Amino acid sequence: MPRKYEMKTEKPLKMDQKNLQELSTITFAPYIYLSTGLIGKARHAGGNMFRHQMDTFAILIDYGYIDSPLLKASIVHDTVEDIRDFDKNQIINADEEGQAVLDIVMEVTRREDESKKQFLQRILDTGSQKAKILKCADRISNMISLGYVTDPVFIERYCDETEFFLLPMALEVDFNMYHELINLIMTRRRYLEDGGYFCDRSKPTTSADSTK
């Protein structure tokens, strides 16, 4: 029986002309078009959700992934969750791989009855390899954007969440992603430390503080 983390998603050891030729045969335009529905969705760190989709796509290319359904799913991975009344048939009908793309998208889509922790735990416990790879690329994008966030409570919570759920997920599917996520966690926590956040948090609460 293959180990849980054995690589099965298409990824060359080194991108070469053959792989670039393979990428050139993949049609991304229908998925980019669907993703433009996210242009009006602002992000906490600035920018919008459409740019985040393309950033996640670029991260997968950067890591050498050439799996067609995975790359297409990265371009539309937030559409079902973040576009009101989004018709999932638009993904299914995008091309002949539409159903496979939607299957990955639905794995990384938070369900209405799920808390954030339940959502991430589900992917960690039962997610396919492609869903985990996509979620790790998505989190790398989010952690980089976290450098533009100034809310220390949000940063700490996001780092803790990444350490608890995403590091074990990345360890299963891509050690280089695991390494990058560790470095991102360290730099974001260093920002909090340099800003005195941990020291301020450890101070006893005064009566004046408690009224704020």
Side-chain angles (χ1 to χ4, degrees):
M1 179 179 294
R3 292 175 296 181
K4 185 178 181 182
Y5 53 85
E6 184 176 333
M7 181 56 65
K8 296 185 284 293
T9 301
E10 192 170 1
K11 178 182 179 181
L13 293 176
K14 184 178 181 181
M15 194 80 75
D16 57 23
Q17 288 299 319
K18 179 182 176 182
N19 304 133
L20 292 175
Q21 179 61 34
E22 187 174 344
L23 279 175
S24 72
T25 66
I26 303 175
T27 302
F28 296 110
Y31 296 92
I32 294 173
Y33 172 73
L34 293 178
S35 187
T36 59
L38 291 163
I39 288 177
K41 299 287 183 179
R43 303 193 75 211
H44 193 57
N48 62 47
M49 291 300 295
F50 170 73
R51 297 181 193 177
H52 168 61
Q53 312 301 289
M54 302 310 295
D55 189 36
T56 303
F57 169 79
I59 288 169
L60 289 173
I61 295 292
D62 182 37
Y63 274 96
Y65 289 99
I66 57 174
D67 182 89
S68 179
L70 172 62
L71 293 175
K72 290 173 180 178
S74 72
I75 296 172
V76 292
H77 73 271
D78 282 320
T79 53
V80 174
E81 187 171 327
D82 289 340
I83 297 178
R84 185 179 179 87
D85 298 323
F86 181 80
D87 182 3
K88 290 179 282 190
N89 286 316
Q90 293 182 82
I91 295 178
I92 294 174
N93 297 327
D95 62 14
E96 69 281 356
E97 292 184 314
Q99 184 61 62
V101 172
L102 179 63
D103 290 344
I104 300 171
V105 170
M106 294 310 297
E107 284 193 81
V108 298
T109 296
R110 184 173 166 183
R111 299 166 184 167
E112 291 185 2
D113 61 344
E114 285 182 323
S115 67
K116 187 67 175 297
K117 290 183 178 180
Q118 289 171 330
F119 163 60
L120 293 173
Q121 189 68 55
R122 169 172 59 79
I123 299 175
L124 179 59
D125 290 344
T126 64
S128 68
Q129 187 178 74
K130 291 180 183 180
K132 291 178 181 180
I133 292 169
L134 175 53
K135 192 60 191 174
C136 288
D138 167 69
R139 183 53 63 112
I140 288 171
S141 172
N142 288 334
M143 286 294 290
I144 292 171
S145 297
L146 200 62
Y148 299 96
V149 175
T150 57
D151 179 353
V153 176
F154 181 87
I155 295 172
E156 183 186 29
R157 176 174 61 79
Y158 211 74
C159 286
D160 290 346
E161 183 181 275
T162 302
E163 180 178 8
F164 191 82
F165 295 105
L166 274 299
L167 288 186
M169 198 180 299
L171 194 57
E172 289 183 11
V173 296
D174 195 311
F175 184 75
N176 290 323
M177 284 187 173
Y178 170 78
H179 184 70
E180 181 170 5
L181 284 167
I182 287 178
N183 286 334
L184 286 166
I185 291 170
M186 290 173 61
T187 59
R188 284 10 177 195
R189 285 182 172 157
R190 190 177 304 124
Y191 164 78
L192 295 177
E193 185 176 349
D194 291 347
Y197 170 69
F198 294 117
C199 293
D200 293 340
R201 190 183 59 171
S202 64
K203 291 179 181 179
T205 303
T206 65
S207 57
D209 293 332
S210 63
T211 61
K212 292 180 181 178

